[in-house]
């Protein structure tokens, strides 16, 4: 297993256990990616837009 895979798995485990909280501003479908980008460009966003596939 690569170092990147181990790091990703450890990060996932922290999120799943509640030790790390992710801040999501909004979710978008792939066809709404331009809207997600515009949200980030506008600024003042607490959290990140997430594109859900």
């Amino acid at each position: 297993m690569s170092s990147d895979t181990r790091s990703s798995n450890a990060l996932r485990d922290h999120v799943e256990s509640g030790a790390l909280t992710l801040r999501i501003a909004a979710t978008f479908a792939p066809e709404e990616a331009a809207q997600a980008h515009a949200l980030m460009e506008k600024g003042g966003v607490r959290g990140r837009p997430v594109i859900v596939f």
Side-chain angles (χ1 to χ4, degrees):
M1 183 180 305
S2 75
S3 174
D4 287 344
T5 300
R6 281 191 298 275
S7 295
S8 294
N9 287 341
L11 181 59
R12 183 200 63 230
D13 292 344
H14 288 306
V15 171
E16 288 177 350
S17 74
L20 179 64
T21 304
L22 301 179
R23 187 173 293 194
I24 298 173
T27 58
F28 297 88
E31 59 272 10
E32 299 171 319
Q35 291 169 296
H37 184 75
L39 178 66
M40 290 298 293
E41 282 187 333
K42 184 171 72 169
V45 178
R46 292 185 59 95
R48 296 287 184 244
V50 175
I51 299 175
V52 180
F53 291 90

